[in-house]
């Protein structure tokens, strides 16, 4: 009985620590071009364009829904936004439109230290992380891409 009680307390503590980690991590301001891990993160930034990175995992059913949303959103973006899918799976072969860049690099996946998967990361035209959020739904992805398009247009001015 005591062992079960200790296990339940440990599980609750672990959950609270993860919640705190998610609450305080923002990643905003990280420069993907000029950091110590630039070799791994360099392929994620698109010079001169706002980039929306969708970080997915090979064992994530929500990621498959988000990839469907990426496939639906991408054709209408034009040149304002670069959509990039970052996967830790070297055999990633989901069908995506040609204007979606796919980075299949476990080192880059680990170097982008967002504590949740799937994640949506907005990167400015000069390689600085502007926004991160959990990729919980296609609707939230669409809203983030719409905001990123606005940011991209304001940056150009």
């Amino acid at each position: 009985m005591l062992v079960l009680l200790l296990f339940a307390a440990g599980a609750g503590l672990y959950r609270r620590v993860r919640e705190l980690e998610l609450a305080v991590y923002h990643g905003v301001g990280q420069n993907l071009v000029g950091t110590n891990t630039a070799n791994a993160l360099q392929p994620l930034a698109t010079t001169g364009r706002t980039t929306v990175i969708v970080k997915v995992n090979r064992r994530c059913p929500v990621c498959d829904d988000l990839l469907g949303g990426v496939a639906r959103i991408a054709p209408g973006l034009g040149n304002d936004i670069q959509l990039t899918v970052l996967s830790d799976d070297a055999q990633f072969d989901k069908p995506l439109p040609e204007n979606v860049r796919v980075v299949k690099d476990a080192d880059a996946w680990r170097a982008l230290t967002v504590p949740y998967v799937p994640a949506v990361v907005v990167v400015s035209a000069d390689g600085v992380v502007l926004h991160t959020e959990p990729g919980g739904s296609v609707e939230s992805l669409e809203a983030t891409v719409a905001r990123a398009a606005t940011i991209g247009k304001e940056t150009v001015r």
Side-chain angles (χ1 to χ4, degrees):
M1 186 67 150
L2 182 61
V3 172
L4 288 175
L5 183 61
L6 286 174
F7 178 75
L13 179 62
Y14 175 77
R15 188 177 128 236
R16 296 296 291 167
V17 168
R18 290 292 294 164
E19 288 173 356
L20 179 62
E21 182 182 43
L22 292 175
V24 299
Y25 180 82
H26 299 289
V28 175
Q30 179 182 11
N31 190 337
L32 299 187
V33 178
T35 61
N36 291 337
T37 56
N39 291 337
L41 295 174
Q42 185 72 36
L44 301 179
T46 306
T47 305
R49 291 170 65 187
T50 302
T51 305
V52 176
I53 302 167
V54 180
K55 182 179 178 181
V56 297
N57 187 306
R58 68 186 110 187
R59 296 175 302 270
C60 170
V62 176
C63 297
D64 290 336
D65 293 340
L66 281 180
L67 291 172
V70 167
R72 195 174 69 236
I73 296 168
L77 287 180
N79 290 327
D80 294 337
I81 299 287
Q82 172 63 59
L83 272 176
T84 300
V85 172
L86 174 61
S87 176
D88 63 339
D89 185 6
Q91 282 78 39
F92 180 91
D93 62 350
K94 307 276 189 215
L96 293 170
E98 289 184 20
N99 64 333
V100 175
R101 191 170 42 149
V102 177
V103 177
K104 301 182 258 188
D105 184 352
D107 291 335
W109 193 90
R110 282 189 297 276
L112 188 63
T113 56
V114 181
Y116 34 78
V117 175
V120 179
V121 180
V122 179
V123 180
S124 71
D126 56 352
V128 177
V129 174
L130 300 175
H131 177 73
T132 65
E133 69 180 36
S137 69
V138 175
E139 292 79 18
S140 69
L141 173 65
E142 289 172 340
T144 301
V145 169
R147 282 192 310 272
T150 302
I151 292 167
K153 289 175 184 171
E154 289 174 359
T155 304
V156 171
R157 289 183 194 172

